Amino acid sequence: MEVVAPVGVAVVLGVRAMKYVIPGGTGQVGALCAKRWRAAGHEVVVLSRGGASEARVVRWDGRTLDDAWARELDGADVVLNLAGRSVSCRYTEENLAQMMSSRVDSTRVVGEAIARAKSPPKVWLQMSTATIYAHRFDAANDEATGVMGGHEPGVPAYWKRSTDIAAAWERALDEAPTPATRKVALRTAMVMSEPGALSSTENIFAVLSRITRAGLGGPIGGGRQYVSWIHGDDFVRACDFLVAHDELSGAVNVAAPEPLPHGEFMRALRAAWGVRVALPATGWMASIGSWAMGTDPELVMKSRRVVPGRLLEAGFSFEHPTWAETAKSLATRG
């Protein structure tokens, strides 16, 4: 059973205080996790190249093994590695190379630190991505029957770069020599949190909400492509669940159980904000808009139909399983 204690009461409730280390933990997802775990009375350490956090921050460069940060993993209970360059960028060769190296190098060096630890962490939760699966409309991708991406007909050839990055990311985790540490690859969908939590450039719900409230929240490219997502609270709860369930290792889809077509997704978001005007966009319009926003159209055009097969089979219960309720609750918080 999941137990979350308020600040200072973990010992009173008999819940052992644990140590969590979060490489790359100064972004949106890291902030959600640090807040939750510190509120439960646990110690949280964030490894960062210079960002700020409410938790204790130790500097690292994400690629070089150094005693100053590596000692934080020795004796820790859980490592949650979130490090990696943001995908919200134009997919130039330079940016794609940085997306690859930042993910693979940070995963490799975390594995090296765990391998040399005298008391290695019990669990290594490694961020991955739902983008590893194929662009498809016919069926949902779960861990057992999902189709890996990179060979779909009729999509831009460069989309394969994203799945190649995802595969290399997970391969670095698999190859890490950490036999005493259970490893879980979090194939994560878009994490949604209240729009006021962080800057709108990092918070996807804030970005979508700003577009919607400006009257531009209509379907893109016909709106058939599926959107997978997860409420930030459920992301943290899923991490807690995975830490507690020793039988779960390998790839786990971290996404709400009801992905939906983009047209329906945006309709629910408009309803949450009380917006009636919604201009649609064609594929070429999405390309121009993405360029203007400094991002890439793959992020809105690829159909990501991902379901959390292993979490549901293991008994995980989502507090926010539907998008309409999630959008309404987050808009209310905002």
Side-chain angles (χ1 to χ4, degrees):
M1 181 179 67
E2 179 185 17
V3 178
V4 178
V7 176
V9 302
V11 176
V12 174
L13 293 179
V15 180
R16 184 178 69 86
M18 298 197 298
K19 181 179 180 180
Y20 293 77
V21 179
I22 312 178
T26 57
Q28 172 199 6
V29 176
L32 294 171
C33 293
K35 181 178 181 180
R36 168 72 172 262
W37 292 333
R38 290 182 77 244
H42 302 300
E43 179 185 2
V44 179
V45 178
V46 167
L47 306 184
S48 173
R49 290 175 297 177
S53 172
E54 66 177 48
R56 180 163 62 89
V57 177
V58 176
R59 287 188 61 86
W60 80 328
D61 64 7
R63 62 178 185 275
T64 307
L65 186 62
D66 182 86
D67 285 343
W69 66 263
R71 68 169 64 99
E72 298 292 344
L73 276 65
D74 199 342
D77 295 278
V78 180
V79 174
L80 169 62
N81 185 18
L82 303 174
R85 191 204 194 285
S86 172
V87 299
S88 183
C89 62
R90 295 173 184 152
Y91 284 9
T92 64
E93 284 298 322
E94 179 181 2
N95 287 341
L96 286 165
Q98 289 179 3
M99 288 162 60
M100 174 72 86
S101 62
S102 63
R103 284 159 174 73
V104 172
D105 288 349
S106 62
T107 304
R108 171 189 53 78
V109 78
V110 166
E112 291 175 359
I114 292 175
R116 79 171 194 175
K118 294 179 180 179
S119 179
K122 290 183 59 179
V123 187
W124 176 3
L125 303 179
Q126 171 60 52
M127 181 61 89
S128 182
T129 174
T131 297
I132 199 169
Y133 292 110
H135 166 85
R136 64 190 301 197
F137 303 93
D138 58 332
N141 290 303
D142 63 14
E143 300 91 338
T145 64
V147 177
M148 296 294 103
H151 305 285
E152 306 94 315
V155 302
Y158 80 93
W159 283 16
K160 186 176 186 297
R161 299 290 293 276
S162 294
T163 53
D164 287 346
I165 290 169
W169 203 4
E170 291 193 3
R171 189 161 56 249
L173 174 68
D174 292 341
E175 293 174 352
T178 58
T181 299
R182 177 166 55 93
K183 298 183 288 189
V184 184
L186 308 174
R187 291 179 175 171
T188 308
M190 292 188 297
V191 179
M192 301 292 183
S193 60
E194 56 267 28
L198 285 175
S199 67
S200 60
T201 57
E202 185 172 359
N203 185 316
I204 184 60
F205 185 79
V207 172
L208 294 173
S209 295
R210 186 175 70 250
I211 293 170
T212 298
R213 298 175 77 177
L216 302 175
I220 296 176
R224 291 180 57 239
Q225 67 274 27
Y226 274 79
V227 180
S228 289
W229 55 275
I230 186 169
H231 193 293
D233 292 349
D234 277 336
F235 175 87
V236 184
R237 293 180 61 251
C239 288
D240 291 338
F241 186 88
L242 290 166
V243 169
H245 284 254
D246 293 339
E247 75 278 11
L248 293 174
S249 62
V252 174
N253 291 349
V254 185
E258 297 186 18
L260 69 171
H262 181 267
E264 296 178 23
F265 179 89
M266 296 307 295
R267 187 181 306 120
L269 185 58
R270 295 195 303 271
W273 286 112
V275 173
R276 296 184 179 182
V277 177
L279 297 179
T282 62
W284 67 265
M285 292 169 67
S287 295
I288 294 174
S290 296
W291 184 89
M293 294 177 64
T295 185
D296 192 89
E298 181 191 0
L299 298 176
V300 294
M301 294 301 296
K302 181 173 180 177
S303 184
R304 297 171 176 84
R305 193 175 182 184
V306 178
V307 292
R310 297 190 69 195
L311 281 175
L312 292 176
E313 289 171 3
F316 181 74
S317 176
F318 285 82
E319 289 184 349
H320 303 277
T322 65
W323 173 239
E325 179 277 328
T326 292
K328 184 176 181 179
S329 70
L330 292 177
T332 300
R333 292 189 195 182

